[in-house]
Amino acid sequence: MDDTDTTRMLATALEQARTGRAEGGVPVGAALFGPGGELLGRGRNRRVQDGDPAMHAETAAFRAAGRRPHYRDTVMVTTLSPCWYCSGLVRQFGIGHVVIGEARTFSGGHDWLAEHGVRITLLDDPECAELMAGFIAERPELWFEDIGADTHLS
């Protein structure tokens, strides 16, 4: 995977994050790609829109991708470091690589994933960081409802 692939993949997740924000939700987007870089599924955090606390962006992308015999050769791209819930999804299904737009506003379980053999690419993308920081400033109550006040559980 080169920089062009990474940029294209992140663009898909960012489009989902922007859509989620426009819908009044939490602006996190994700996409799952196959071994050849083909898009398998994309999604956005839809907790607010669907009234479903489990509908995080990575979950939505994973569900949209459908069944596969295995996921070790897939790449999950997300605009924000995955929370513990979504990190668990990556481990449970053996997703081999996670590309993260940013971890400035929230540093989830990506270090834990790396310790367990998942390849992590942290991009520190300014647009991802600005999108999330702006949302947190405008809607702190929704952010803390989504991520919970105890974000540093061990």
Side-chain angles (χ1 to χ4, degrees):
M1 179 169 48
D2 62 21
D3 289 346
T4 303
D5 291 331
T6 303
T7 300
R8 175 184 57 83
M9 291 173 167
L10 183 61
T12 300
L14 261 167
E15 174 192 16
Q16 289 294 303
R18 287 187 214 102
T19 299
R21 186 169 189 176
E23 294 170 345
V26 179
V28 179
L32 188 67
F33 292 89
E38 69 277 12
L39 178 64
L40 301 174
R42 63 183 167 212
R44 59 189 167 276
N45 183 305
R46 294 194 332 253
R47 295 179 63 259
V48 174
Q49 300 91 314
D50 295 355
D52 181 352
M55 194 45 67
H56 288 204
E58 297 88 344
T59 305
F62 180 76
R63 290 181 74 185
R67 290 181 56 206
R68 297 177 57 84
H70 64 81
Y71 296 86
R72 66 183 161 268
D73 58 356
T74 62
V75 179
M76 178 68 77
V77 180
T78 180
T79 58
L80 183 65
S81 178
C83 69
W84 289 107
Y85 171 69
C86 294
S87 294
L89 180 144
V90 168
R91 285 277 290 139
Q92 173 69 30
F93 292 97
I95 293 170
H97 186 185
V98 178
V99 174
I100 300 165
E102 69 101 354
R104 291 185 221 171
T105 56
F106 175 75
S107 184
H110 67 267
D111 287 336
W112 175 77
L113 288 170
E115 289 169 9
H116 289 87
V118 177
R119 181 175 167 210
I120 300 295
T121 302
L122 181 55
L123 300 176
D124 196 28
D125 180 80
E127 185 177 355
C128 289
E130 289 169 19
L131 183 64
M132 219 44 235
F135 170 76
I136 293 168
E138 292 170 17
R139 303 288 310 271
E141 75 292 345
L142 189 53
W143 168 247
F144 286 112
E145 174 190 323
D146 183 69
I147 207 61
D150 297 327
T151 58
H152 299 288
L153 301 174
S154 52

